[in-house]
């Protein structure tokens, strides 16, 4: 069983309406690949491409939710919409859970009502920014590197109340620390360790320790850029190095995977699409106990769901 905390299949389905979740050639994640790889819960991110004008972003978030229900949930009876532990517990053995997440608060502009609406529609986790700035905070590529705005603090407080994850992947370092002060359910859905790959999207040791201390989660991502400086050589062994480092900082119960399939153009060797999770599982089994492997692949994320 696998819990994958991040993929961008929804964005691809939105960009190309002719693409099918059954057999879309350009998709890393399809329904058959989820089945084959024994993925039990897959998070699907609503990510609004940066080229979309500000005033259209909320509508496009709604369009992606529409695609999520029409092209995934309603078309595949074995794929169930889940937003809580209870929903996951209710899945039959051959059923798969699909969770909705938001990547970047650009979609809500400065409106708490838009955020609340997305939560009511079933968004379980909210990433505050993509790489640039928005009304909530600065992202990791924003040179200014500012932290949370007053509105951003309201957003995090609301997520606490609503018992949803606050996703710190993509945030500037300053914003990360601001979030750590007030967030009750922080995660980094798709980020690796800065120690083994110094990239602004990765987490420094003190950030990893802070997430562990806050009972948060870190999803290791398979994006070659975030795995190693020599991205052409990125492979499963790099995934294991990042995993081991998080464990060495005390994070064995706070680490899982957030592949970012469909969110990357190049892929790591042996991790070309969601089916390849089986390769990772084989490799994990060589190095860790059955219990540890089960935790990394599924139970850690499951245990940390706020509701
Ligand atoms: Zn991302």
């Amino acid at each position: 069983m696998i819990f994958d905390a991040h993929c961008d299949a929804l964005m691809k389905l939105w960009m190309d309406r002719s693409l099918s979740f059954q057999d879309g050639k350009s998709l890393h994640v399809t329904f058959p690949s989820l089945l084959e790889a024994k993925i039990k819960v897959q998070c699907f991110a609503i990510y609004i491409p940066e080229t979309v004008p500000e005033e259209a972003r909320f509508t496009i978030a709604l369009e992606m939710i529409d695609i999520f229900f029409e092209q995934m949930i309603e078309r595949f009876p074995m794929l169930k919409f889940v937003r809580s532990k209870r929903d996951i517990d209710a899945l039959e053995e051959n059923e798969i859970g699909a969770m909705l997440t938001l990547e970047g608060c650009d979609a809500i502009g400065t409106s708490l009502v838009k955020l609340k609406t997305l939560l009511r529609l079933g968004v379980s986790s909210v990433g505050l920014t993509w790489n640039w700035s928005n009304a909530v905070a600065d992202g990791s590529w924003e040179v200014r590197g500012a932290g949370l705005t007053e509105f951003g603090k309201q957003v995090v407080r609301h997520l606490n109340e609503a018992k949803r994850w606050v996703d710190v992947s993509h945030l500037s370092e300053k914003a990360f620390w601001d979030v750590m002060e007030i967030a009750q359910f922080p995660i980094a859905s798709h980020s690796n360790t800065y120690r083994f790959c110094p990239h602004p999207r990765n987490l420094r040791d003190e950030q990893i320790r802070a997430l562990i201390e806050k009972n948060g989660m870190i999803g290791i991502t398979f994006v070659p850029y975030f795995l190693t400086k020599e991205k052409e050589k990125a492979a499963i062994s790099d995934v294991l190095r990042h995993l081991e480092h998080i464990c060495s900082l005390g994070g064995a119960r706070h680490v899982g995977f957030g592949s970012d399939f469909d969110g990357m153009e190049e892929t790591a060797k042996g991790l070309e699409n969601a089916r390849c999770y089986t390769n990772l599982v084989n490799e994990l089994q060589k190095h860790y106990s059955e219990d540890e492997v089960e935790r990394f692949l599924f139970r850690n994320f499951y245990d940390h769901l706020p509701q």
Side-chain angles (χ1 to χ4, degrees), residues 3-6 169 188-193 202-203 217-223 226-227 236 238-247 254-260 271 277 280 284 288 296 301:
F3 189 122
D4 185 288
H6 189 85
S169 284
S189 67
H190 58 304
S191 290
N192 291 341
T193 75
N202 285 342
L203 299 163
M217 273 298 296
I218 299 152
I220 293 176
T221 170
F222 308 157
V223 179
F226 310 146
L227 282 172
I236 292 177
D238 295 303
V239 173
L240 264 70
R241 280 204 303 165
H242 289 278
L243 171 67
E244 187 49 40
H245 185 58
I246 293 169
C247 290
H254 302 270
V255 65
F257 299 100
S259 63
D260 208 359
L271 291 169
Y277 252 113
L280 177 63
L284 287 170
Y288 296 97
F296 301 152
F301 263 118

mmCIF file of all heavy atoms in Angstrom, residues 3-6 169 188-193 202-203 217-223 226-227 236 238-247 254-260 271 277 280 284 288 296 301:
data_model
loop_
_atom_site.group_PDB
_atom_site.id
_atom_site.type_symbol
_atom_site.label_atom_id
_atom_site.label_comp_id
_atom_site.label_asym_id
_atom_site.label_seq_id
_atom_site.Cartn_x
_atom_site.Cartn_y
_atom_site.Cartn_z
ATOM 1 N N PHE A 3 0.832 5.684 -0.131
ATOM 2 C CA PHE A 3 0.174 6.983 -0.039
ATOM 3 C C PHE A 3 1.099 7.957 -0.731
ATOM 4 O O PHE A 3 2.209 8.171 -0.274
ATOM 5 C CB PHE A 3 -0.005 7.352 1.449
ATOM 6 C CG PHE A 3 -0.857 8.572 1.707
ATOM 7 C CD1 PHE A 3 -2.001 8.468 2.493
ATOM 8 C CD2 PHE A 3 -0.514 9.821 1.201
ATOM 9 C CE1 PHE A 3 -2.792 9.582 2.758
ATOM 10 C CE2 PHE A 3 -1.290 10.930 1.462
ATOM 11 C CZ PHE A 3 -2.432 10.815 2.243
ATOM 12 N N ASP A 4 0.661 8.517 -1.837
ATOM 13 C CA ASP A 4 1.509 9.480 -2.547
ATOM 14 C C ASP A 4 0.917 10.877 -2.368
ATOM 15 O O ASP A 4 -0.219 11.139 -2.771
ATOM 16 C CB ASP A 4 1.614 9.123 -4.026
ATOM 17 C CG ASP A 4 2.587 10.045 -4.753
ATOM 18 O OD1 ASP A 4 2.248 11.223 -4.964
ATOM 19 O OD2 ASP A 4 3.691 9.595 -5.099
ATOM 20 N N ALA A 5 1.719 11.770 -1.781
ATOM 21 C CA ALA A 5 1.189 13.068 -1.338
ATOM 22 C C ALA A 5 1.155 14.155 -2.417
ATOM 23 O O ALA A 5 0.666 15.254 -2.154
ATOM 24 C CB ALA A 5 1.982 13.559 -0.125
ATOM 25 N N HIS A 6 1.674 13.866 -3.598
ATOM 26 C CA HIS A 6 1.625 14.922 -4.622
ATOM 27 C C HIS A 6 1.801 14.413 -6.048
ATOM 28 O O HIS A 6 2.781 13.746 -6.352
ATOM 29 C CB HIS A 6 2.707 15.981 -4.358
ATOM 30 C CG HIS A 6 2.559 17.191 -5.246
ATOM 31 N ND1 HIS A 6 1.728 18.238 -4.942
ATOM 32 C CD2 HIS A 6 3.115 17.497 -6.446
ATOM 33 C CE1 HIS A 6 1.784 19.146 -5.900
ATOM 34 N NE2 HIS A 6 2.613 18.726 -6.837
ATOM 35 N N SER A 169 5.875 23.007 1.090
ATOM 36 C CA SER A 169 6.710 22.836 -0.104
ATOM 37 C C SER A 169 6.528 24.070 -0.997
ATOM 38 O O SER A 169 5.407 24.548 -1.171
ATOM 39 C CB SER A 169 6.306 21.581 -0.884
ATOM 40 O OG SER A 169 6.782 20.424 -0.225
ATOM 41 N N ALA A 188 5.378 18.951 4.313
ATOM 42 C CA ALA A 188 6.053 19.353 3.076
ATOM 43 C C ALA A 188 5.759 18.204 2.122
ATOM 44 O O ALA A 188 6.377 17.144 2.208
ATOM 45 C CB ALA A 188 7.556 19.513 3.301
ATOM 46 N N SER A 189 4.782 18.383 1.255
ATOM 47 C CA SER A 189 4.277 17.246 0.472
ATOM 48 C C SER A 189 5.279 16.719 -0.548
ATOM 49 O O SER A 189 5.269 15.540 -0.860
ATOM 50 C CB SER A 189 2.980 17.626 -0.249
ATOM 51 O OG SER A 189 3.248 18.608 -1.242
ATOM 52 N N HIS A 190 6.119 17.607 -1.063
ATOM 53 C CA HIS A 190 7.117 17.147 -2.050
ATOM 54 C C HIS A 190 8.377 18.009 -1.976
ATOM 55 O O HIS A 190 8.531 18.959 -2.715
ATOM 56 C CB HIS A 190 6.520 17.074 -3.464
ATOM 57 C CG HIS A 190 5.946 18.358 -4.000
ATOM 58 N ND1 HIS A 190 4.967 19.075 -3.349
ATOM 59 C CD2 HIS A 190 6.197 19.041 -5.134
ATOM 60 C CE1 HIS A 190 4.657 20.146 -4.057
ATOM 61 N NE2 HIS A 190 5.401 20.153 -5.155
ATOM 62 N N SER A 191 9.257 17.621 -1.053
ATOM 63 C CA SER A 191 10.528 18.333 -0.849
ATOM 64 C C SER A 191 11.568 17.340 -0.374
ATOM 65 O O SER A 191 11.240 16.394 0.344
ATOM 66 C CB SER A 191 10.374 19.406 0.230
ATOM 67 O OG SER A 191 9.564 20.473 -0.212
ATOM 68 N N ASN A 192 12.818 17.566 -0.762
ATOM 69 C CA ASN A 192 13.905 16.682 -0.333
ATOM 70 C C ASN A 192 14.850 17.398 0.627
ATOM 71 O O ASN A 192 14.539 18.488 1.090
ATOM 72 C CB ASN A 192 14.656 16.155 -1.559
ATOM 73 C CG ASN A 192 13.796 15.201 -2.367
ATOM 74 O OD1 ASN A 192 12.811 14.664 -1.859
ATOM 75 N ND2 ASN A 192 14.141 15.007 -3.615
ATOM 76 N N THR A 193 15.991 16.758 0.903
ATOM 77 C CA THR A 193 16.909 17.358 1.872
ATOM 78 C C THR A 193 17.954 18.228 1.166
ATOM 79 O O THR A 193 18.535 17.838 0.155
ATOM 80 C CB THR A 193 17.648 16.275 2.695
ATOM 81 O OG1 THR A 193 18.657 15.655 1.882
ATOM 82 C CG2 THR A 193 16.690 15.213 3.209
ATOM 83 N N ASN A 202 14.495 22.505 -1.503
ATOM 84 C CA ASN A 202 14.725 21.450 -0.511
ATOM 85 C C ASN A 202 14.832 22.010 0.906
ATOM 86 O O ASN A 202 14.976 23.213 1.102
ATOM 87 C CB ASN A 202 15.976 20.661 -0.893
ATOM 88 C CG ASN A 202 15.685 19.723 -2.070
ATOM 89 O OD1 ASN A 202 14.518 19.429 -2.356
ATOM 90 N ND2 ASN A 202 16.728 19.262 -2.729
ATOM 91 N N LEU A 203 14.746 21.108 1.878
ATOM 92 C CA LEU A 203 14.674 21.513 3.283
ATOM 93 C C LEU A 203 16.012 21.349 3.987
ATOM 94 O O LEU A 203 16.663 20.306 3.887
ATOM 95 C CB LEU A 203 13.632 20.648 4.006
ATOM 96 C CG LEU A 203 12.195 20.732 3.482
ATOM 97 C CD1 LEU A 203 11.373 19.543 3.996
ATOM 98 C CD2 LEU A 203 11.552 22.052 3.906
ATOM 99 N N MET A 217 4.993 16.122 8.426
ATOM 100 C CA MET A 217 5.394 15.076 7.484
ATOM 101 C C MET A 217 6.227 15.666 6.351
ATOM 102 O O MET A 217 6.050 16.825 5.975
ATOM 103 C CB MET A 217 4.140 14.449 6.855
ATOM 104 C CG MET A 217 3.515 13.320 7.622
ATOM 105 S SD MET A 217 4.599 11.885 7.813
ATOM 106 C CE MET A 217 4.844 11.329 6.125
ATOM 107 N N ILE A 218 7.089 14.838 5.817
ATOM 108 C CA ILE A 218 7.876 15.226 4.643
ATOM 109 C C ILE A 218 7.697 14.150 3.577
ATOM 110 O O ILE A 218 7.914 12.964 3.845
ATOM 111 C CB ILE A 218 9.371 15.352 4.995
ATOM 112 C CG1 ILE A 218 9.563 16.436 6.061
ATOM 113 C CG2 ILE A 218 10.205 15.664 3.740
ATOM 114 C CD1 ILE A 218 10.763 16.215 6.939
ATOM 115 N N GLY A 219 7.274 14.560 2.397
ATOM 116 C CA GLY A 219 7.138 13.628 1.277
ATOM 117 C C GLY A 219 8.348 13.786 0.363
ATOM 118 O O GLY A 219 8.564 14.864 -0.195
ATOM 119 N N ILE A 220 9.103 12.727 0.231
ATOM 120 C CA ILE A 220 10.264 12.774 -0.666
ATOM 121 C C ILE A 220 9.778 12.755 -2.111
ATOM 122 O O ILE A 220 8.864 12.008 -2.457
ATOM 123 C CB ILE A 220 11.195 11.577 -0.381
ATOM 124 C CG1 ILE A 220 11.793 11.759 1.017
ATOM 125 C CG2 ILE A 220 12.295 11.463 -1.435
ATOM 126 C CD1 ILE A 220 12.647 10.618 1.455
ATOM 127 N N THR A 221 10.372 13.635 -2.919
ATOM 128 C CA THR A 221 9.927 13.767 -4.300
ATOM 129 C C THR A 221 10.954 13.180 -5.266
ATOM 130 O O THR A 221 12.136 13.103 -4.952
ATOM 131 C CB THR A 221 9.615 15.244 -4.626
ATOM 132 O OG1 THR A 221 9.405 15.370 -6.023
ATOM 133 C CG2 THR A 221 10.748 16.160 -4.232
ATOM 134 N N PHE A 222 10.463 12.739 -6.436
ATOM 135 C CA PHE A 222 11.331 12.049 -7.404
ATOM 136 C C PHE A 222 11.826 12.977 -8.514
ATOM 137 O O PHE A 222 12.352 12.521 -9.514
ATOM 138 C CB PHE A 222 10.579 10.872 -8.043
ATOM 139 C CG PHE A 222 9.946 9.914 -7.045
ATOM 140 C CD1 PHE A 222 8.863 9.105 -7.422
ATOM 141 C CD2 PHE A 222 10.436 9.806 -5.751
ATOM 142 C CE1 PHE A 222 8.281 8.223 -6.516
ATOM 143 C CE2 PHE A 222 9.856 8.923 -4.836
ATOM 144 C CZ PHE A 222 8.776 8.132 -5.227
ATOM 145 N N VAL A 223 11.634 14.276 -8.366
ATOM 146 C CA VAL A 223 12.088 15.229 -9.389
ATOM 147 C C VAL A 223 13.621 15.224 -9.429
ATOM 148 O O VAL A 223 14.253 15.475 -8.395
ATOM 149 C CB VAL A 223 11.592 16.660 -9.065
ATOM 150 C CG1 VAL A 223 12.075 17.659 -10.103
ATOM 151 C CG2 VAL A 223 10.075 16.679 -8.959
ATOM 152 N N PHE A 226 15.704 17.871 -7.632
ATOM 153 C CA PHE A 226 15.665 17.922 -6.167
ATOM 154 C C PHE A 226 16.310 16.693 -5.547
ATOM 155 O O PHE A 226 16.435 16.585 -4.331
ATOM 156 C CB PHE A 226 14.222 18.069 -5.654
ATOM 157 C CG PHE A 226 13.445 19.170 -6.312
ATOM 158 C CD1 PHE A 226 12.088 19.059 -6.540
ATOM 159 C CD2 PHE A 226 14.097 20.345 -6.721
ATOM 160 C CE1 PHE A 226 11.372 20.073 -7.153
ATOM 161 C CE2 PHE A 226 13.397 21.371 -7.339
ATOM 162 C CZ PHE A 226 12.035 21.236 -7.559
ATOM 163 N N LEU A 227 16.707 15.734 -6.401
ATOM 164 C CA LEU A 227 17.343 14.520 -5.881
ATOM 165 C C LEU A 227 18.855 14.661 -5.827
ATOM 166 O O LEU A 227 19.500 14.220 -4.874
ATOM 167 C CB LEU A 227 16.989 13.314 -6.764
ATOM 168 C CG LEU A 227 15.592 12.715 -6.559
ATOM 169 C CD1 LEU A 227 15.300 11.674 -7.619
ATOM 170 C CD2 LEU A 227 15.462 12.099 -5.160
ATOM 171 N N ILE A 236 16.954 5.796 -8.028
ATOM 172 C CA ILE A 236 16.314 5.378 -6.776
ATOM 173 C C ILE A 236 17.265 5.471 -5.587
ATOM 174 O O ILE A 236 16.860 5.795 -4.474
ATOM 175 C CB ILE A 236 15.754 3.938 -6.935
ATOM 176 C CG1 ILE A 236 14.586 3.963 -7.924
ATOM 177 C CG2 ILE A 236 15.297 3.372 -5.601
ATOM 178 C CD1 ILE A 236 13.985 2.615 -8.223
ATOM 179 N N ASP A 238 19.254 7.740 -4.910
ATOM 180 C CA ASP A 238 19.183 9.099 -4.357
ATOM 181 C C ASP A 238 17.969 9.264 -3.454
ATOM 182 O O ASP A 238 18.049 9.917 -2.412
ATOM 183 C CB ASP A 238 19.125 10.135 -5.492
ATOM 184 C CG ASP A 238 20.394 10.150 -6.308
ATOM 185 O OD1 ASP A 238 21.467 10.369 -5.717
ATOM 186 O OD2 ASP A 238 20.321 9.917 -7.533
ATOM 187 N N VAL A 239 16.854 8.675 -3.872
ATOM 188 C CA VAL A 239 15.652 8.727 -3.039
ATOM 189 C C VAL A 239 15.967 8.127 -1.669
ATOM 190 O O VAL A 239 15.626 8.687 -0.626
ATOM 191 C CB VAL A 239 14.479 7.959 -3.709
ATOM 192 C CG1 VAL A 239 13.284 7.861 -2.771
ATOM 193 C CG2 VAL A 239 14.082 8.619 -5.022
ATOM 194 N N LEU A 240 16.677 7.006 -1.692
ATOM 195 C CA LEU A 240 17.018 6.338 -0.438
ATOM 196 C C LEU A 240 17.966 7.170 0.433
ATOM 197 O O LEU A 240 17.874 7.140 1.663
ATOM 198 C CB LEU A 240 17.613 4.946 -0.703
ATOM 199 C CG LEU A 240 16.569 3.826 -0.607
ATOM 200 C CD1 LEU A 240 15.578 3.867 -1.750
ATOM 201 C CD2 LEU A 240 17.222 2.460 -0.517
ATOM 202 N N ARG A 241 18.857 7.902 -0.216
ATOM 203 C CA ARG A 241 19.781 8.756 0.561
ATOM 204 C C ARG A 241 19.024 9.861 1.295
ATOM 205 O O ARG A 241 19.293 10.146 2.460
ATOM 206 C CB ARG A 241 20.818 9.399 -0.367
ATOM 207 C CG ARG A 241 21.953 8.455 -0.721
ATOM 208 C CD ARG A 241 23.178 9.224 -1.095
ATOM 209 N NE ARG A 241 22.869 10.132 -2.209
ATOM 210 C CZ ARG A 241 23.642 11.138 -2.577
ATOM 211 N NH1 ARG A 241 24.753 11.388 -1.927
ATOM 212 N NH2 ARG A 241 23.307 11.891 -3.602
ATOM 213 N N HIS A 242 18.083 10.489 0.612
ATOM 214 C CA HIS A 242 17.277 11.541 1.258
ATOM 215 C C HIS A 242 16.436 10.942 2.396
ATOM 216 O O HIS A 242 16.344 11.522 3.472
ATOM 217 C CB HIS A 242 16.378 12.243 0.234
ATOM 218 C CG HIS A 242 17.130 13.129 -0.723
ATOM 219 N ND1 HIS A 242 17.506 14.414 -0.405
ATOM 220 C CD2 HIS A 242 17.599 12.909 -1.970
ATOM 221 C CE1 HIS A 242 18.164 14.957 -1.439
ATOM 222 N NE2 HIS A 242 18.234 14.053 -2.401
ATOM 223 N N LEU A 243 15.875 9.784 2.122
ATOM 224 C CA LEU A 243 15.059 9.101 3.138
ATOM 225 C C LEU A 243 15.890 8.790 4.375
ATOM 226 O O LEU A 243 15.486 9.082 5.511
ATOM 227 C CB LEU A 243 14.497 7.804 2.528
ATOM 228 C CG LEU A 243 13.808 6.836 3.478
ATOM 229 C CD1 LEU A 243 12.515 7.427 4.026
ATOM 230 C CD2 LEU A 243 13.486 5.510 2.765
ATOM 231 N N GLU A 244 17.056 8.228 4.153
ATOM 232 C CA GLU A 244 17.917 7.837 5.272
ATOM 233 C C GLU A 244 18.335 9.065 6.080
ATOM 234 O O GLU A 244 18.412 9.025 7.307
ATOM 235 C CB GLU A 244 19.141 7.074 4.741
ATOM 236 C CG GLU A 244 20.037 6.466 5.807
ATOM 237 C CD GLU A 244 19.288 5.660 6.880
ATOM 238 O OE1 GLU A 244 18.340 4.938 6.532
ATOM 239 O OE2 GLU A 244 19.664 5.776 8.068
ATOM 240 N N HIS A 245 18.585 10.165 5.380
ATOM 241 C CA HIS A 245 18.991 11.374 6.097
ATOM 242 C C HIS A 245 17.857 11.890 6.996
ATOM 243 O O HIS A 245 18.101 12.275 8.149
ATOM 244 C CB HIS A 245 19.446 12.456 5.112
ATOM 245 C CG HIS A 245 19.976 13.669 5.815
ATOM 246 N ND1 HIS A 245 21.044 13.602 6.695
ATOM 247 C CD2 HIS A 245 19.575 14.959 5.816
ATOM 248 C CE1 HIS A 245 21.276 14.809 7.193
ATOM 249 N NE2 HIS A 245 20.402 15.650 6.670
ATOM 250 N N ILE A 246 16.648 11.887 6.480
ATOM 251 C CA ILE A 246 15.508 12.328 7.309
ATOM 252 C C ILE A 246 15.355 11.398 8.517
ATOM 253 O O ILE A 246 15.137 11.849 9.639
ATOM 254 C CB ILE A 246 14.214 12.405 6.464
ATOM 255 C CG1 ILE A 246 14.357 13.531 5.421
ATOM 256 C CG2 ILE A 246 12.983 12.652 7.353
ATOM 257 C CD1 ILE A 246 13.286 13.563 4.350
ATOM 258 N N CYS A 247 15.542 10.102 8.286
ATOM 259 C CA CYS A 247 15.481 9.140 9.408
ATOM 260 C C CYS A 247 16.572 9.444 10.435
ATOM 261 O O CYS A 247 16.331 9.402 11.643
ATOM 262 C CB CYS A 247 15.639 7.709 8.902
ATOM 263 S SG CYS A 247 14.212 7.142 7.964
ATOM 264 N N HIS A 254 8.025 10.347 10.241
ATOM 265 C CA HIS A 254 7.552 11.615 9.658
ATOM 266 C C HIS A 254 7.936 11.747 8.193
ATOM 267 O O HIS A 254 8.030 12.851 7.679
ATOM 268 C CB HIS A 254 8.121 12.791 10.455
ATOM 269 C CG HIS A 254 7.752 12.744 11.903
ATOM 270 N ND1 HIS A 254 6.615 13.337 12.395
ATOM 271 C CD2 HIS A 254 8.345 12.125 12.954
ATOM 272 C CE1 HIS A 254 6.538 13.104 13.694
ATOM 273 N NE2 HIS A 254 7.565 12.366 14.061
ATOM 274 N N VAL A 255 8.195 10.631 7.561
ATOM 275 C CA VAL A 255 8.630 10.697 6.164
ATOM 276 C C VAL A 255 7.826 9.730 5.306
ATOM 277 O O VAL A 255 7.442 8.643 5.750
ATOM 278 C CB VAL A 255 10.165 10.444 6.069
ATOM 279 C CG1 VAL A 255 10.535 9.025 6.500
ATOM 280 C CG2 VAL A 255 10.691 10.735 4.668
ATOM 281 N N GLY A 256 7.518 10.192 4.106
ATOM 282 C CA GLY A 256 6.799 9.368 3.141
ATOM 283 C C GLY A 256 7.212 9.814 1.750
ATOM 284 O O GLY A 256 8.331 10.296 1.559
ATOM 285 N N PHE A 257 6.280 9.700 0.791
ATOM 286 C CA PHE A 257 6.626 10.065 -0.580
ATOM 287 C C PHE A 257 5.574 10.985 -1.202
ATOM 288 O O PHE A 257 4.378 10.817 -0.981
ATOM 289 C CB PHE A 257 6.800 8.804 -1.443
ATOM 290 C CG PHE A 257 7.907 7.928 -0.935
ATOM 291 C CD1 PHE A 257 7.631 6.810 -0.160
ATOM 292 C CD2 PHE A 257 9.232 8.254 -1.181
ATOM 293 C CE1 PHE A 257 8.653 6.018 0.354
ATOM 294 C CE2 PHE A 257 10.264 7.480 -0.673
ATOM 295 C CZ PHE A 257 9.975 6.355 0.093
ATOM 296 N N GLY A 258 6.063 11.951 -1.942
ATOM 297 C CA GLY A 258 5.210 12.840 -2.736
ATOM 298 C C GLY A 258 5.888 12.970 -4.081
ATOM 299 O O GLY A 258 6.669 13.884 -4.328
ATOM 300 N N SER A 259 5.592 12.004 -4.945
ATOM 301 C CA SER A 259 6.396 11.806 -6.163
ATOM 302 C C SER A 259 6.567 13.055 -7.029
ATOM 303 O O SER A 259 7.639 13.323 -7.546
ATOM 304 C CB SER A 259 5.754 10.718 -7.022
ATOM 305 O OG SER A 259 4.453 11.138 -7.433
ATOM 306 N N ASP A 260 5.491 13.837 -7.172
ATOM 307 C CA ASP A 260 5.428 14.930 -8.161
ATOM 308 C C ASP A 260 5.364 14.390 -9.592
ATOM 309 O O ASP A 260 5.739 15.090 -10.539
ATOM 310 C CB ASP A 260 6.592 15.916 -8.028
ATOM 311 C CG ASP A 260 6.207 17.325 -8.501
ATOM 312 O OD1 ASP A 260 5.056 17.511 -8.949
ATOM 313 O OD2 ASP A 260 7.051 18.227 -8.437
ATOM 314 N N LEU A 271 12.252 5.522 -12.058
ATOM 315 C CA LEU A 271 11.051 6.169 -11.510
ATOM 316 C C LEU A 271 10.378 7.005 -12.596
ATOM 317 O O LEU A 271 10.080 8.172 -12.422
ATOM 318 C CB LEU A 271 11.437 7.060 -10.317
ATOM 319 C CG LEU A 271 11.913 6.311 -9.072
ATOM 320 C CD1 LEU A 271 12.526 7.274 -8.059
ATOM 321 C CD2 LEU A 271 10.775 5.524 -8.421
ATOM 322 N N TYR A 277 6.700 2.666 -8.912
ATOM 323 C CA TYR A 277 6.737 2.560 -7.456
ATOM 324 C C TYR A 277 7.176 1.152 -7.037
ATOM 325 O O TYR A 277 7.787 0.961 -5.993
ATOM 326 C CB TYR A 277 5.371 2.894 -6.843
ATOM 327 C CG TYR A 277 5.326 4.229 -6.124
ATOM 328 C CD1 TYR A 277 4.563 5.279 -6.593
ATOM 329 C CD2 TYR A 277 6.059 4.423 -4.942
ATOM 330 C CE1 TYR A 277 4.515 6.501 -5.928
ATOM 331 C CE2 TYR A 277 6.020 5.629 -4.267
ATOM 332 C CZ TYR A 277 5.242 6.668 -4.770
ATOM 333 O OH TYR A 277 5.206 7.872 -4.109
ATOM 334 N N LEU A 280 10.785 1.027 -6.426
ATOM 335 C CA LEU A 280 11.171 1.646 -5.159
ATOM 336 C C LEU A 280 10.861 0.704 -3.997
ATOM 337 O O LEU A 280 11.667 0.558 -3.067
ATOM 338 C CB LEU A 280 10.428 2.983 -4.992
ATOM 339 C CG LEU A 280 10.666 3.716 -3.678
ATOM 340 C CD1 LEU A 280 12.125 4.132 -3.513
ATOM 341 C CD2 LEU A 280 9.758 4.942 -3.572
ATOM 342 N N LEU A 284 13.461 -0.549 -1.217
ATOM 343 C CA LEU A 284 13.243 -0.280 0.213
ATOM 344 C C LEU A 284 13.320 -1.572 1.024
ATOM 345 O O LEU A 284 13.883 -1.606 2.119
ATOM 346 C CB LEU A 284 11.869 0.376 0.433
ATOM 347 C CG LEU A 284 11.711 1.830 0.005
ATOM 348 C CD1 LEU A 284 10.239 2.252 0.067
ATOM 349 C CD2 LEU A 284 12.553 2.764 0.876
ATOM 350 N N TYR A 288 15.262 -1.935 4.667
ATOM 351 C CA TYR A 288 14.462 -1.638 5.854
ATOM 352 C C TYR A 288 13.551 -2.810 6.217
ATOM 353 O O TYR A 288 13.251 -3.656 5.372
ATOM 354 C CB TYR A 288 13.600 -0.386 5.623
ATOM 355 C CG TYR A 288 14.414 0.868 5.403
ATOM 356 C CD1 TYR A 288 14.680 1.338 4.112
ATOM 357 C CD2 TYR A 288 14.937 1.585 6.484
ATOM 358 C CE1 TYR A 288 15.436 2.485 3.910
ATOM 359 C CE2 TYR A 288 15.692 2.733 6.289
ATOM 360 C CZ TYR A 288 15.945 3.183 4.996
ATOM 361 O OH TYR A 288 16.690 4.302 4.801
ATOM 362 N N PHE A 296 6.922 4.106 5.681
ATOM 363 C CA PHE A 296 7.379 5.086 4.682
ATOM 364 C C PHE A 296 6.387 5.178 3.520
ATOM 365 O O PHE A 296 6.081 6.247 3.029
ATOM 366 C CB PHE A 296 8.752 4.707 4.105
ATOM 367 C CG PHE A 296 9.857 4.602 5.121
ATOM 368 C CD1 PHE A 296 10.942 3.757 4.896
ATOM 369 C CD2 PHE A 296 9.832 5.363 6.283
ATOM 370 C CE1 PHE A 296 11.965 3.657 5.826
ATOM 371 C CE2 PHE A 296 10.859 5.268 7.220
ATOM 372 C CZ PHE A 296 11.927 4.402 6.994
ATOM 373 N N PHE A 301 2.020 8.972 6.401
ATOM 374 C CA PHE A 301 1.104 10.018 5.937
ATOM 375 C C PHE A 301 -0.305 9.791 6.487
ATOM 376 O O PHE A 301 -0.950 10.718 6.957
ATOM 377 C CB PHE A 301 1.079 10.102 4.389
ATOM 378 C CG PHE A 301 1.988 11.169 3.849
ATOM 379 C CD1 PHE A 301 3.065 10.853 3.026
ATOM 380 C CD2 PHE A 301 1.776 12.519 4.169
ATOM 381 C CE1 PHE A 301 3.905 11.858 2.533
ATOM 382 C CE2 PHE A 301 2.615 13.525 3.675
ATOM 383 C CZ PHE A 301 3.678 13.185 2.852
#
